[in-house]
Amino acid sequence: MQKQRGGNRSTDVRGKYERASLKYGRKPGAPTTDRDDDRAKSFVQKRRLNKIEKDIHKDTIRLNKYIANSGICSRREADELITQGLVLVNGKVVQEMGYQVEKTDKVVFDGQNITPEKPVYILLNKPKGYISTTKDDKARKTVMDLVSNASPYRVFPVGRLDRSTTGVILLTNDGHMTKKLTHPSFDSKKIYHVTLDKKLTNEDMRLIVEGIRLEEGIATIDQISFIEGKPKNEIGMEISIGWNRVIRRIFQRLGYEVEALDRVMFAGMTKKNIKRGHWRILTDLEVNTLKML
């Protein structure tokens, strides 16, 4: 999607994000049904979770797998670290190949404690009425309630969607990935489908393109357009800044109320084929794509 700083565009943003999502979907014309797809996805996800569950319930784990599961390196590279005497278990250097580590053991590499928690990446299509936190003092529903059976590990939402906003959100236990995707210097593209209480005028669209002043500064967007085939109160917006409720505040400044806000794309991932309130585990290809961003 090209960056735009002026003029009105009739580009169908919605069409673009839907076409882009086909990269990971079923090929057009394939004979399988939606029910077949759901069964296949369910089977694959169960296999992945079963593998994780087996690792968790084992009393011991090979040292190289312990290191690899921590996300530091591959199992083969872990073997090299072990043979070079760079790994300590309970304060002692271990160079034995195939050494079994117990869960209570303390493993140190490069002066840092490591844990064998395998990274998990969950893509959720968040419904309205849930907040994007791990817990809430007011006992309100959180996204954690929706993914409670998705992983044996504790995961955290990457970024936030406010309670009234729906759409795609990532949850993971990968701290490095979370920091990368939420850091202000990272150009994390997000596309929203905005429904306003009235039609957006061309003049106000021009003002949004030029930038709206908010408390934090000038709020700039990457692209905005009317959605082809939809009323003029339905807008597609691509934005990189992560200010709190920024889209709602942009339109409020111009006298509009956002009636519905749906995030349809985040860091290249879409909610296509994920029903509202449902989730799926990211594929290895999708995880690798995120790591290369």
Side-chain angles (χ1 to χ4, degrees), residues 45-244:
Q45 290 182 9
K46 284 180 179 178
R47 285 188 61 185
R48 288 177 179 165
L49 291 176
N50 285 340
K51 286 184 67 177
I52 295 174
E53 288 278 7
K54 287 179 181 179
D55 283 345
I56 287 178
H57 292 107
K58 284 182 179 179
D59 293 329
T60 63
I61 182 174
R62 286 173 63 101
L63 181 57
N64 62 348
K65 188 174 183 180
Y66 186 107
I67 297 170
N69 283 355
S70 72
I72 292 175
C73 59
S74 68
R75 203 179 299 189
R76 180 175 296 179
E77 291 168 333
D79 285 335
E80 296 177 4
L81 298 177
I82 294 169
T83 56
Q84 292 173 22
L86 300 177
V87 181
L88 284 75
V89 179
N90 298 327
K92 296 181 180 180
V93 173
V94 174
Q95 293 178 281
E96 175 189 340
M97 301 304 296
Y99 185 87
Q100 293 288 327
V101 181
E102 296 183 4
K103 291 182 179 179
T104 56
D105 288 340
K106 180 181 179 181
V107 181
V108 175
F109 167 70
D110 195 26
Q112 298 292 323
N113 293 339
I114 58 176
T115 59
E117 191 168 289
K118 192 175 182 65
V120 177
Y121 306 88
I122 302 164
L123 195 63
L124 170 70
N125 186 356
K126 175 188 167 306
K128 192 174 182 179
Y130 288 79
I131 58 176
S132 303
T133 58
T134 54
K135 60 181 179 179
D136 182 62
D137 295 336
K138 299 179 181 179
R140 293 173 296 182
K141 295 180 292 186
T142 76
V143 291
M144 308 309 297
D145 298 323
L146 298 169
V147 299
S148 58
N149 64 338
S151 169
Y153 300 130
R154 188 182 183 190
V155 295
F156 302 87
V158 179
R160 293 190 176 186
L161 292 177
D162 65 50
R163 192 178 183 187
S164 299
T165 301
T166 60
V168 61
I169 187 169
L170 177 68
L171 298 99
T172 182
N173 59 344
D174 186 337
H176 177 74
M177 178 69 72
T178 299
K179 184 176 180 180
K180 172 184 174 182
L181 293 177
T182 56
H183 196 276
S185 64
F186 181 72
D187 190 21
S188 178
K189 299 292 184 185
K190 300 173 282 286
I191 297 179
Y192 290 85
H193 182 166
V194 188
T195 304
L196 303 174
D197 62 337
K198 57 186 176 182
K199 294 180 180 179
L200 179 66
T201 67
N202 291 333
E203 174 61 18
D204 285 339
M205 180 178 281
R206 183 185 64 79
L207 292 174
I208 292 172
V209 170
E210 292 177 353
I212 299 296
R213 178 171 292 281
L214 300 176
E215 289 80 357
E216 301 92 334
I218 301 297
T220 57
I221 58 98
D222 300 307
Q223 184 170 320
I224 183 171
S225 71
F226 294 112
I227 298 176
E228 187 175 339
K230 295 290 183 178
K232 295 295 184 180
N233 68 321
E234 294 193 36
I235 314 299
M237 288 184 69
E238 180 179 307
I239 194 166
S240 299
I241 56 177
W243 300 348
N244 186 41

Side-chain angles (χ1 to χ4, degrees), residues 123-127 167-168 262 271 274-279:
L123 195 63
L124 170 70
N125 186 356
K126 175 188 167 306
V168 61
D262 186 44
K271 59 189 178 66
I274 306 178
K275 297 177 182 178
R276 190 82 76 198
H278 290 236
W279 56 267

